[in-house]
Amino acid sequence: MLKKLKKNDYNWTGKYIKEYNQMVSYYEKQLEEKNRIIDSLSIENKNLKNSIKFQGKQKQISDKDIDKIRKLKNEGKSYSYISNETGWSKATISRVINNKKKIY
């Protein structure tokens, strides 16, 4: 009886180790696939950031843009129209036109 118990115990342990190794292998493959997807998305993200279409605006507004905003407002144009025309936000246009802080 003792020999049977040891043999069964060995079979159970062997099966457990085999299943564990299969599970580890499965999750390693899943992880590799996810890492490949992350890498490809990172490359795509970098390419989009470098493309002209998605480049950010200048941090500082130029004198030329300020003059254009003031000219359009003097012509009676709306903030939305000026925003579409110049590419600056309505908030920036408002700051330029109202100039409460005397910085423009």
Side-chain angles (χ1 to χ4, degrees), residues 75-90:
E75 291 175 4
K77 305 298 182 186
S78 69
Y79 283 16
S80 296
Y81 178 84
I82 297 171
S83 176
N84 290 335
E85 214 41 49
T86 60
W88 291 99
S89 70
K90 289 188 260 183

Side-chain angles (χ1 to χ4, degrees), residues 17-53:
I17 291 171
K18 184 178 178 182
E19 287 177 4
Y20 175 79
N21 288 337
Q22 288 173 344
M23 184 176 65
V24 168
S25 175
Y26 171 77
Y27 284 113
E28 284 176 345
K29 286 178 186 175
Q30 292 290 319
L31 185 62
E32 286 175 14
E33 179 63 28
K34 298 296 181 191
N35 284 336
R36 269 189 254 127
I37 291 170
I38 289 170
D39 290 342
S40 69
L41 290 174
S42 295
I43 291 169
E44 184 178 350
N45 189 22
K46 184 188 266 185
N47 290 338
L48 285 174
K49 283 182 179 179
N50 290 336
S51 73
I52 294 172
K53 184 177 180 182

Side-chain angles (χ1 to χ4, degrees), residues 88-102:
W88 291 99
S89 70
K90 289 188 260 183
T92 301
I93 292 165
S94 174
R95 282 193 293 273
V96 168
I97 291 170
N98 297 326
N99 200 13
K100 289 182 180 174
K101 295 183 179 178
K102 308 289 184 211

